[in-house]
Coordinates of all heavy atoms in Angstrom, one line a residue:
A1253 N -10.5 -2.4 4.7 CA -11.4 -3.4 5.3 C -12.8 -3.3 4.9 O -13.4 -4.3 4.7 CB -11.2 -3.3 6.8
A1254 N -13.3 -2.2 4.8 CA -14.7 -1.9 4.3 C -14.9 -2.5 2.9 O -15.8 -3.2 2.6 CB -15.1 -0.5 4.4
A1255 N -13.9 -2.1 2.0 CA -14.0 -2.6 0.6 C -13.9 -4.2 0.6 O -14.5 -4.8 -0.2 CB -13.0 -2.0 -0.3
A1256 N -13.1 -4.7 1.5 CA -12.8 -6.1 1.5 C -14.1 -6.9 1.9 O -14.2 -8.1 1.7 CB -11.8 -6.5 2.4
A1257 N -15.1 -6.2 2.5 CA -16.4 -6.9 2.8 C -17.1 -7.4 1.7 O -17.8 -8.4 1.8 CB -17.3 -5.9 3.6
G1258 N -16.9 -6.9 0.5 CA -17.6 -7.4 -0.8 C -16.7 -8.2 -1.6 O -17.0 -8.7 -2.7
I1259 N -15.4 -8.4 -1.1 CA -14.5 -9.1 -2.0 C -14.9 -10.6 -2.1 O -14.6 -11.1 -3.3 CB -13.1 -9.3 -1.2 CG1 -12.6 -7.7 -1.0 CG2 -12.1 -10.1 -1.8 CD1 -12.3 -7.1 -2.3
V1260 N -15.5 -11.3 -1.2 CA -15.9 -12.6 -1.5 C -16.8 -12.7 -2.7 O -16.7 -13.7 -3.5 CB -16.6 -13.3 -0.2 CG1 -17.1 -14.6 -0.4 CG2 -15.5 -13.3 1.0
R1261 N -17.7 -11.7 -2.8 CA -18.6 -11.8 -3.9 C -17.9 -11.6 -5.2 O -18.1 -12.1 -6.3 CB -19.7 -10.7 -3.7 CG -20.5 -11.1 -2.6 CD -21.4 -9.9 -2.2 NE -22.2 -10.4 -1.0 CZ -23.0 -9.6 -0.3 NH1 -23.0 -8.4 -0.6 NH2 -23.7 -10.1 0.7
L1262 N -16.8 -10.6 -5.2 CA -16.0 -10.4 -6.4 C -15.2 -11.7 -6.7 O -15.0 -12.1 -7.9 CB -15.1 -9.2 -6.1 CG -14.3 -8.7 -7.4 CD1 -15.3 -8.1 -8.4 CD2 -13.3 -7.6 -6.9
I1263 N -14.6 -12.4 -5.7 CA -13.9 -13.6 -6.0 C -14.8 -14.6 -6.5 O -14.4 -15.3 -7.5 CB -13.3 -14.1 -4.6 CG1 -12.1 -13.1 -4.2 CG2 -12.7 -15.5 -4.8 CD1 -11.6 -13.4 -2.7
H1264 N -16.0 -14.7 -6.1 CA -17.0 -15.6 -6.7 C -17.2 -15.4 -8.1 O -17.4 -16.4 -9.0 CB -18.3 -15.6 -5.8 CG -19.4 -16.5 -6.3 ND1 -19.4 -17.9 -6.1 CD2 -20.5 -16.2 -7.1 CE1 -20.4 -18.4 -6.7 NE2 -21.2 -17.5 -7.3
N1265 N -17.1 -14.2 -8.5 CA -17.3 -13.8 -9.9 C -16.0 -13.9 -10.8 O -16.0 -13.4 -11.9 CB -17.9 -12.3 -10.1 CG -19.2 -12.2 -9.5 OD1 -20.0 -13.2 -9.2 ND2 -19.5 -10.9 -9.0
S1266 N -15.0 -14.5 -10.1 CA -13.6 -14.5 -10.8 C -13.0 -13.2 -11.0 O -12.5 -12.9 -12.1 CB -13.6 -15.4 -12.0 OG -14.0 -16.7 -11.7
G1267 N -13.4 -12.2 -10.3 CA -13.1 -10.9 -10.4 C -11.7 -10.5 -10.0 O -10.9 -11.2 -9.4
T1268 N -11.3 -9.2 -10.5 CA -10.0 -8.7 -10.1 C -10.2 -7.3 -9.5 O -11.3 -6.6 -9.7 CB -9.2 -8.5 -11.4 OG1 -9.8 -7.7 -12.3 CG2 -8.8 -9.8 -12.0
M1269 N -9.3 -6.8 -8.6 CA -9.3 -5.6 -8.1 C -8.0 -4.8 -8.2 O -6.9 -5.4 -8.1 CB -9.6 -5.8 -6.5 CG -9.6 -4.5 -5.7 SD -9.7 -4.8 -4.0 CE -11.5 -4.9 -3.8
R1270 N -8.1 -3.6 -8.5 CA -6.9 -2.7 -8.6 C -7.1 -1.5 -7.8 O -8.1 -0.8 -7.9 CB -6.6 -2.3 -10.1 CG -6.3 -3.5 -11.0 CD -6.0 -3.0 -12.4 NE -7.1 -2.1 -13.0 CZ -7.0 -1.6 -14.1 NH1 -5.9 -1.6 -14.9 NH2 -8.0 -0.8 -14.6
L1271 N -6.1 -1.3 -6.9 CA -6.3 -0.1 -6.0 C -5.1 0.8 -6.2 O -4.0 0.4 -6.4 CB -6.2 -0.6 -4.5 CG -7.3 -1.6 -4.1 CD1 -7.0 -2.0 -2.7 CD2 -8.7 -0.8 -4.3
L1272 N -5.3 2.1 -6.3 CA -4.3 3.2 -6.4 C -4.5 4.0 -5.2 O -5.5 4.7 -5.0 CB -4.6 3.9 -7.7 CG -3.6 5.0 -8.1 CD1 -2.2 4.4 -8.3 CD2 -4.0 5.8 -9.3
V1273 N -3.4 4.0 -4.3 CA -3.6 4.7 -3.0 C -2.4 5.5 -2.7 O -1.3 5.3 -3.3 CB -3.7 3.7 -1.8 CG1 -5.1 2.8 -2.0 CG2 -2.6 2.8 -1.7
G1274 N -2.6 6.5 -2.0 CA -1.5 7.4 -1.5 C -1.1 6.9 -0.1 O -1.8 6.2 0.5
A1275 N 0.1 7.3 0.3 CA 0.6 6.9 1.7 C 1.0 8.1 2.4 O 1.6 9.1 1.8 CB 1.7 5.9 1.5
E1276 N 0.7 8.1 3.7 CA 1.2 9.2 4.6 C 2.5 8.7 5.2 O 2.5 7.7 6.0 CB 0.1 9.5 5.7 CG -1.1 10.1 5.0 CD -2.1 10.5 6.2 OE1 -1.8 10.3 7.4 OE2 -3.1 10.9 5.8
L1277 N 3.6 9.5 4.9 CA 4.9 9.1 5.4 C 5.3 10.1 6.5 O 5.0 11.3 6.3 CB 6.0 9.1 4.4 CG 5.8 8.1 3.2 CD1 6.9 8.2 2.2 CD2 5.8 6.7 3.8
S1278 N 6.0 9.7 7.5 CA 6.3 10.5 8.7 C 7.6 11.2 8.2 O 8.3 10.8 7.2 CB 6.5 9.8 10.0 OG 7.6 8.9 9.8
E1279 N 8.1 12.1 8.9 CA 9.4 12.8 8.6 C 10.5 11.8 8.8 O 11.5 11.8 8.0 CB 9.7 13.9 9.7 CG 8.8 15.1 9.5 CD 9.2 16.0 8.4 OE1 10.3 15.9 8.0 OE2 8.4 16.9 8.0
Q1280 N 10.4 10.9 9.8 CA 11.3 9.8 9.9 C 11.4 8.8 8.7 O 12.5 8.4 8.3 CB 11.1 9.0 11.3 CG 11.3 9.7 12.5 CD 10.1 10.7 12.9 OE1 8.9 10.6 12.2 NE2 10.2 11.5 13.8
D1281 N 10.3 8.6 8.2 CA 10.1 7.7 7.0 C 11.0 8.4 5.8 O 11.7 7.7 5.2 CB 8.7 7.4 6.6 CG 7.8 6.7 7.5 OD1 8.5 5.8 8.3 OD2 6.7 6.8 7.5
V1282 N 10.7 9.7 5.6 CA 11.3 10.4 4.5 C 12.8 10.4 4.8 O 13.6 10.3 3.9 CB 10.6 11.7 4.4 CG1 11.5 12.6 3.3 CG2 9.2 11.6 3.9
E1283 N 13.2 10.7 5.9 CA 14.6 10.7 6.3 C 15.3 9.3 6.0 O 16.4 9.3 5.5 CB 15.0 11.2 7.7 CG 14.8 12.7 7.9 CD 15.6 13.4 7.0 OE1 16.9 13.2 6.8 OE2 15.1 14.4 6.4
A1284 N 14.7 8.3 6.4 CA 15.1 7.0 6.1 C 15.4 6.6 4.6 O 16.4 6.1 4.2 CB 14.3 5.9 6.7
I1285 N 14.4 7.1 3.8 CA 14.5 7.1 2.4 C 15.7 7.7 1.9 O 16.5 7.3 1.1 CB 13.2 7.4 1.8 CG1 12.1 6.4 2.1 CG2 13.3 7.5 0.2 CD1 10.6 6.8 1.8
K1286 N 15.9 9.0 2.3 CA 16.9 9.9 1.9 C 18.3 9.3 2.3 O 19.2 9.5 1.6 CB 16.8 11.2 2.5 CG 15.8 12.2 1.9 CD 15.7 13.5 2.5 CE 14.6 14.3 1.8 NZ 14.4 15.7 2.5
E1287 N 18.3 8.5 3.4 CA 19.6 8.0 3.8 C 19.9 6.6 3.1 O 20.8 5.9 3.4 CB 19.5 7.7 5.3 CG 19.6 8.9 6.1 CD 19.4 8.7 7.6 OE1 19.5 7.5 8.1 OE2 19.1 9.7 8.3
G1288 N 19.0 6.4 2.2 CA 19.2 5.1 1.4 C 18.5 3.9 1.7 O 18.7 2.8 1.1
Y1289 N 17.6 3.9 2.7 CA 16.7 2.8 3.0 C 15.9 2.5 1.9 O 15.4 3.4 1.2 CB 16.0 3.0 4.3 CG 16.8 2.9 5.6 CD1 17.4 4.1 6.1 CD2 16.9 1.9 6.3 CE1 18.3 4.1 7.2 CE2 17.7 1.7 7.4 CZ 18.3 2.9 7.9 OH 19.1 2.8 9.0
D1290 N 15.5 1.2 1.7 CA 14.6 0.7 0.7 C 13.2 1.4 0.7 O 12.6 1.4 1.7 CB 14.5 -0.7 0.7 CG 13.6 -1.3 -0.5 OD1 14.2 -1.1 -1.6 OD2 12.6 -1.8 -0.2
L1291 N 13.0 2.1 -0.5 CA 11.6 2.8 -0.5 C 10.5 1.9 -0.3 O 9.6 2.2 0.4 CB 11.6 3.4 -1.9 CG 10.3 4.2 -2.3 CD1 10.1 5.4 -1.4 CD2 10.2 4.8 -3.7
R1292 N 10.4 0.7 -1.0 CA 9.4 -0.3 -0.8 C 9.2 -0.6 0.7 O 8.2 -0.7 1.1 CB 9.5 -1.4 -1.7 CG 9.2 -1.2 -3.1 CD 9.5 -2.5 -3.8 NE 9.3 -2.3 -5.3 CZ 8.1 -2.7 -5.9 NH1 7.1 -3.3 -5.3 NH2 8.0 -2.5 -7.2
Q1293 N 10.3 -1.0 1.3 CA 10.3 -1.4 2.7 C 9.7 -0.3 3.6 O 8.9 -0.6 4.5 CB 11.7 -1.9 3.1 CG 11.7 -2.5 4.5 CD 10.9 -3.8 4.5 OE1 10.8 -4.5 3.6 NE2 10.5 -4.2 5.7
T1294 N 10.2 0.9 3.4 CA 9.8 2.0 4.2 C 8.2 2.3 4.1 O 7.6 2.4 5.0 CB 10.6 3.3 3.9 OG1 11.9 3.0 4.2 CG2 10.3 4.4 4.7
I1295 N 7.8 2.3 2.9 CA 6.4 2.4 2.7 C 5.5 1.4 3.2 O 4.4 1.7 3.8 CB 6.0 2.8 1.0 CG1 6.8 4.0 0.6 CG2 4.6 2.7 0.8 CD1 6.7 4.1 -0.9
S1296 N 6.0 0.1 3.0 CA 5.3 -1.0 3.5 C 5.2 -1.0 5.0 O 4.1 -1.2 5.6 CB 6.0 -2.4 3.1 OG 6.0 -2.6 1.7

């Protein structure tokens, strides 16, 4: 949200943004993935 504060200015410049982030998954999230739940859906 803090980075997004400047987004309007970047958009005005026809700019692009790329973010590379890590995610914190709970034990339950990891178990769901191991049981075959969709990785993208669980992370989302």
